[in-house]
Amino acid sequence: MANTITIPQSMLPEDGRFGSGPSKIREAQVRALDEGAHTLLGTSHRQSPVRQVVASIREGLSSFFHLPDGYEIVLGNGGASAFWDMACASLISRRAAFGTYGSFSTKFAKSAASAPFLEEPVIYAGEPGTFRLPEYTEDVDAYCWAHNETSTGVAAPVRRVAGSREQGAVTLVDGTSAAGALPVDVSQTDAYYFSPQKAFGSDGGLWIAVLSPAAIERASEVEHSATLEGARRWVPPFLSLSAAIENSRKDQTLNTPAVATLIMLANQIRWLNDNGGMDWSTARCAKSASVLYDWAARSQYAQPFVADTDARSHSVVTIDLDDAVSAKQVVAALRDNGIVDTSGYRKLGRNQLRIGVFPSVEPADVVALTSCIDYVVERLAE
Ligand SMILES: *Cc1c(COP(=O)(O)O)cnc(C)c1O
């Protein structure tokens, strides 16, 4: 029976976007594009109007993250994936230790493993659905892991590995699906980096990094020694963190950014700060996430995938379904009704829903979503 399930209009969320990135973009952000239609869009990123937008992003994030002394907000093109390669080129001196526990944390480790000028990384591997932090290791100069593993919905602690500072190592934390949604003390990191299409509800294509003085110094050292030793390491200009730092200090990017992405990002940062900043946004995400985890715990056919309650993400919620209920069918039926991007991470291959509850998502819409899932599952069983 190829019948479509129609969820009653009154049950539907106001907005059906629950993606884990790209994620919901608020209407006010789109209106901001319209407001900048003649003054910003289609104008030079090296002139004051666009540079003011970049300045407001840098200032807004400084206040959002309670920027410690000497830390800087740096940005450039290419997204968090580009930052991994940048970190390999400009931040890791010789050898890094990684915590890997899912697709994203593993990708960075693979980048480092394939860089011919770096030594074999030390990998601390955890099972999907759990996290594993890198442990103190002799002879490493960088510790790397992800605050929120987006492929599994696992949130990991962000605190320096004991002894890492004394050995002169830097701490590089991927905050892509965490920044703006999970509490963080950036003083525990030297680079806390992310892309704007998750909690910051903008479009993709940029990376943003909160950098410590140690990271800034490391980039300069690595790139300087690369120049001196020539053959040892080629730092492509696009992957030069020092070049990105220099440009960011002037409220610019090395090469041309998507101005629309900057406008929507600036609007979102202002919205978060105006509402109460990190405390407000993280509480809002925690509330939305708990709606889902509590519903799953009560449900006859669903349960949270992540067993450790402290490791359950407040931004990307993963819910396993019983074998009798096909997640694929549930996701398709939801999509037929305008509720989109609720499927599990493809490569994880579980019978699972994965729901992005970033700050832009209304907690009331998350409540509505749980009713819609129940409605669909009941009809699928008929
Ligand atoms: C989405 C994501 C990335 C990749 O971001 P891009 O902007 O696509 O490069 C990296 N790390 C994590 C944790 C992510 O969620």
Side-chain angles (χ1 to χ4, degrees):
M1 302 179 296
N3 55 338
T4 43
I5 297 168
T6 305
I7 303 171
Q9 195 70 32
S10 61
M11 285 180 72
L12 291 173
E14 257 180 55
D15 197 295
R17 291 172 290 178
F18 293 97
S20 299
S23 64
K24 177 183 169 186
I25 296 177
R26 290 173 307 106
E27 272 163 35
Q29 293 172 275
V30 180
R31 279 200 304 276
L33 291 178
D34 226 17
E35 285 153 19
H38 299 287
T39 50
L40 293 167
L41 294 178
T43 74
S44 169
H45 59 295
R46 308 227 183 263
Q47 296 301 322
S48 151
V50 177
R51 284 171 67 185
Q52 275 177 32
V53 176
V54 174
S56 97
I57 290 170
R58 296 181 66 231
E59 280 159 26
L61 289 175
S62 301
S63 120
F64 186 86
F65 288 111
H66 313 293
L67 209 68
D69 275 352
Y71 276 62
E72 296 184 36
I73 305 288
V74 174
L75 70 168
N77 283 308
S81 305
F83 193 84
W84 292 328
D85 293 333
M86 195 164 226
C88 291
S90 302
L91 277 175
I92 302 171
S93 302
R94 286 177 41 209
R95 188 164 176 240
F98 288 87
T100 63
Y101 34 89
S103 194
F104 292 98
S105 46
T106 302
K107 278 187 193 173
F108 184 13
K110 280 192 179 149
S111 236
S114 67
F117 45 83
L118 296 179
E119 289 170 25
E120 199 58 31
V122 184
I123 310 285
Y124 295 90
E127 288 302 307
T130 68
F131 64 81
R132 176 118 186 251
L133 300 183
E135 293 163 20
Y136 180 84
T137 311
E138 298 285 341
D139 287 332
V140 304
D141 54 74
Y143 291 91
C144 317
W145 70 96
H147 190 180
N148 195 69
E149 177 46 73
T150 319
S151 63
T152 57
V154 167
V158 177
R159 52 166 186 266
R160 291 178 190 274
V161 174
S164 61
R165 265 189 147 163
E166 292 72 12
Q167 74 180 149
V170 290
T171 298
L172 316 178
V173 173
D174 181 350
T176 304
S177 60
L182 309 187
V184 66
D185 172 4
V186 290
S187 74
Q188 291 294 317
T189 70
D190 295 297
Y192 186 73
Y193 59 92
F194 51 93
S195 303
Q197 74 276 21
K198 315 240 169 155
F200 289 99
S202 184
D203 258 332
L206 282 180
W207 58 262
I208 297 133
V210 184
L211 296 182
S212 75
I216 293 166
E217 195 187 311
R218 172 68 70 83
S220 151
E221 269 169 26
V222 168
E223 294 180 47
H224 186 63
S225 71
T227 320
L228 293 180
E229 296 171 38
R232 194 173 77 88
R233 181 182 302 193
W234 174 52
V235 179
F238 191 69
L239 299 183
S240 161
L241 188 55
S242 299
I245 293 166
E246 269 170 45
N247 275 281
S248 297
R249 285 176 178 162
K250 293 186 275 184
D251 296 321
Q252 297 184 38
T253 48
L254 176 70
N255 64 321
T256 317
V259 174
T261 305
L262 294 172
I263 296 171
M264 291 192 290
L265 173 59
N267 182 281
Q268 181 79 343
I269 295 166
R270 197 173 320 118
W271 179 70
L272 293 174
N273 282 335
D274 285 352
N275 275 296
M278 190 190 290
D279 288 346
W280 177 79
S281 68
T282 58
R284 182 171 162 95
C285 294
K287 184 174 165 190
S288 291
S290 75
V291 166
L292 285 163
Y293 293 125
D294 293 349
W295 158 79
R298 282 194 314 269
S299 164
Q300 299 297 313
Y301 62 87
Q303 52 281 326
F305 168 50
V306 178
D308 174 359
T309 51
D310 290 336
R312 286 178 188 163
S313 170
H314 292 171
S315 60
V316 175
V317 174
T318 46
I319 304 287
D320 275 349
L321 301 185
D322 287 352
D323 288 345
V325 182
S326 155
K328 215 170 161 182
Q329 286 179 2
V330 173
V331 167
L334 290 173
R335 183 169 277 278
D336 287 342
N337 288 274
I339 298 171
V340 303
D341 300 338
T342 58
S343 54
Y345 192 74
R346 194 172 34 85
K347 283 187 238 159
L348 188 61
R350 295 182 72 90
N351 190 42
Q352 181 172 94
L353 303 177
R354 187 176 60 139
I355 295 149
V357 289
F358 295 114
S360 296
V361 171
E362 291 296 332
D365 276 354
V366 181
V367 176
L369 170 65
T370 60
S371 313
C372 291
I373 299 170
D374 283 338
Y375 185 91
V376 162
V377 170
E378 270 171 40
R379 300 302 174 295
L380 283 173
E382 278 169 8

